[in-house]
Amino acid sequence: MELADHVGMSRYKLIREFRGRTELTIRELIQQRVINRACRLLLRTSIPIKEVAFRCGYASPSAFTVAFRQATGLSPSDFAAQNRKRKLL
């Protein structure tokens, strides 16, 4: 793991330290950041969901939709529609 080498720790020590300080794994933190970016794109732009998926690093829109639904409880299109309605109120 390059990150572990960069900070001078073994892979396992880095994982334990990171989780102990943040209560998240490195993967979970990255996933949170990616979903947050997707939310911003869905709220601030009118680009298609397919494009949001690719801009956020997903290989396919379906993989993005699964990850987004797991993280938010909504599909990307439902999230965008609900938040557009809130803006109009």
Side-chain angles (χ1 to χ4, degrees), residues 14-85:
L14 174 62
I15 291 168
R16 279 192 312 273
E17 288 285 325
F18 192 88
R19 179 117 193 197
R21 291 174 190 232
T22 66
E23 299 182 5
L24 297 170
T25 65
I26 294 169
R27 180 174 290 192
E28 289 168 338
L29 178 67
I30 292 169
Q31 183 69 16
Q32 264 186 6
R33 300 269 171 113
V34 169
I35 295 299
N36 287 343
R37 179 170 189 239
C39 289
R40 285 192 307 273
L41 287 170
L42 290 167
L43 293 174
R44 296 179 184 167
T45 70
S46 59
I47 61 175
I49 290 170
K50 178 180 178 180
E51 181 64 23
V52 173
F54 294 137
R55 286 189 188 190
C56 291
Y58 287 90
S60 71
S62 60
F64 168 66
T65 298
V66 168
F68 193 91
R69 188 183 304 270
Q70 284 179 331
T72 66
L74 297 169
S75 70
S77 57
D78 288 344
F79 174 85
Q82 283 186 10
N83 285 286
R84 277 189 211 110
K85 286 180 188 175

